[in-house]
């Protein structure tokens, strides 16, 4: 198999906090960075709407990164919503299922996303694929695990006859450590951008402003984001 010939990355980018930090991380480390997003009938399309706002804010506020930020790609993955019986795509309350997984689980979602990303990277000449999955704040999603994604990297390389490197810079960072990484990457200006422009709330609330950003403050995503913010601001152990 050929060695990786380029220093170009494709970031799985939803407009949420984690993928925005991954995008900044990639813009620091690669010569050229493109973004890819997936529309699949999410309960609230707020994150999809935030994608372009975040890209614009990055371009306006960070000239060094702007020079490396390339095209955006949006893939219609609505077939996932049709296949999955999940609270992420239906209008149902979020809860734990009998198998211990949250009912927001879309089976195989990240496997599909990375496969679509690799196909796009193949066409665009981008060998480095970057995603915001992590095991630190355990979500219970088996396709967020480090072993799953390392295995997928091997499979994609074999199946496409070309080497791809999957990067997951947040894999072992909890939410407090992700806020700290945001500050390391772009200082207060980038932390402000994450607070103002990114969206994480499952309820799609962009009316209520907290110190850590917009959201209902009560859903699991808001709770994680708020708790991480508080721990990072306190400077205590993550
Ligand atoms: Zn919320």
């Amino acid at each position: 198999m050929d060695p990786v010939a380029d220093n170009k990355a494709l970031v799985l980018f939803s407009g949420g906090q984690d993928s925005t930090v991954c995008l900044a991380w990639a813009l620091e480390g690669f010569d050229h960075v493109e973004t890819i997003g997936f529309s699949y009938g999410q309960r609230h399309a707020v994150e999809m709407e935030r994608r372009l706002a975040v890209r614009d804010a990055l371009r306006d506020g960070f000239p060094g990164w702007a020079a490396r930020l390339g095209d955006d790609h949006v893939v219609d993955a609505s077939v996932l919503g049709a296949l999955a019986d999940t609270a992420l795509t239906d209008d149902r309350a979020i809860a734990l299922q009998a198998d211990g997984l949250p009912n927001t689980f879309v089976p195989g979602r990240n496997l599909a996303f990375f496969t679509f990303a690799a196909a796009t990277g193949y066409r665009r000449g981008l060998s480095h694929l970057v995603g915001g999955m992590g095991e630190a704040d355990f979500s219970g999603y088996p396709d967020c695990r480090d072993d799953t994604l390392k295995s997928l990297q091997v499979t994609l390389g074999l199946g496409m006859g070309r080497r791809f490197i999957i990067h997951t810079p947040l894999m072992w960072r909890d939410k407090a450590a992700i806020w700290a990484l945001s500050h390391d990457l772009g200082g207060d200006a980038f932390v402000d951008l994450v607070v103002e422009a990114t969206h994480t709330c499952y309820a799609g609330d962009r009316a209520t402003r907290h110190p850590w950003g917009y959201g209902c403050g009560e859903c699991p995503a808001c709770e994680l984001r708020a708790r991480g913010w508080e721990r990072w601001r306190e400077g205590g152990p993550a």
Side-chain angles (χ1 to χ4, degrees):
M1 203 176 281
D2 292 338
V4 174
D6 61 70
N7 190 40
K8 299 176 180 177
L10 180 61
V11 178
L12 277 62
F13 178 58
S14 70
Q17 178 180 6
D18 292 349
S19 68
T20 297
V21 176
C22 282
L23 178 52
W25 178 87
L27 288 165
E28 275 291 291
F30 295 95
D31 298 332
H32 177 81
V33 179
E34 300 187 6
T35 52
I36 185 167
F38 303 96
S39 102
Y40 56 101
Q42 295 94 328
R43 284 157 67 100
H44 298 281
V46 176
E47 280 202 2
M48 290 302 288
E49 292 163 15
R50 299 312 303 165
R51 298 176 74 256
L52 297 178
V54 170
R55 282 176 49 100
D56 286 347
L58 282 170
R59 245 193 312 250
D60 292 346
F62 300 88
W65 291 348
R68 298 184 206 125
L69 181 59
D71 288 354
D72 181 44
H73 311 272
V74 175
V75 174
D76 177 1
S78 52
V79 65
L80 286 177
L83 291 171
D85 176 29
T86 165
L88 206 60
T89 52
D90 296 341
D91 200 14
R92 270 192 284 143
I94 294 163
L96 283 186
Q97 303 173 162
D99 61 5
L101 287 173
N103 62 353
T104 47
F105 180 54
V106 179
R109 175 174 54 168
N110 290 324
L111 306 181
F113 284 0
F114 268 115
T115 303
F116 294 150
T120 304
Y122 188 99
R123 178 168 55 84
R124 302 283 299 170
L126 315 164
S127 296
H128 298 270
L129 311 177
V130 183
M133 299 79 190
E135 290 198 36
D137 285 311
F138 183 63
S139 64
Y141 294 172
D143 59 348
C144 286
R145 290 180 189 147
D146 196 41
D147 285 354
T148 306
L149 298 175
K150 286 193 160 82
S151 159
L152 184 60
Q153 169 176 303
V154 175
T155 301
L156 290 171
L158 290 170
M160 298 198 190
R162 179 169 147 178
R163 186 131 198 240
F164 292 99
I165 310 291
I166 290 181
H167 301 266
T168 50
L170 310 186
M171 182 57 71
W172 307 109
R173 290 181 156 106
D174 66 13
K175 290 292 182 197
I178 292 169
W179 283 112
L181 174 62
S182 305
H183 195 265
D184 290 347
L185 287 167
D188 290 342
F190 182 59
V191 171
D192 289 347
L193 184 157
V194 171
V195 167
E196 289 297 331
T198 72
H199 186 85
T200 314
C201 173
Y202 283 143
D205 184 339
R206 285 208 62 79
T208 315
R209 172 69 154 78
H210 308 267
W212 43 264
Y214 293 90
C216 72
E218 287 166 11
C219 75
C222 280
E223 276 182 17
L224 268 179
R225 180 163 166 154
R227 205 164 351 121
W229 170 269
E230 282 157 19
R231 268 182 296 170
W232 174 59
R233 298 296 281 189
E234 288 162 7

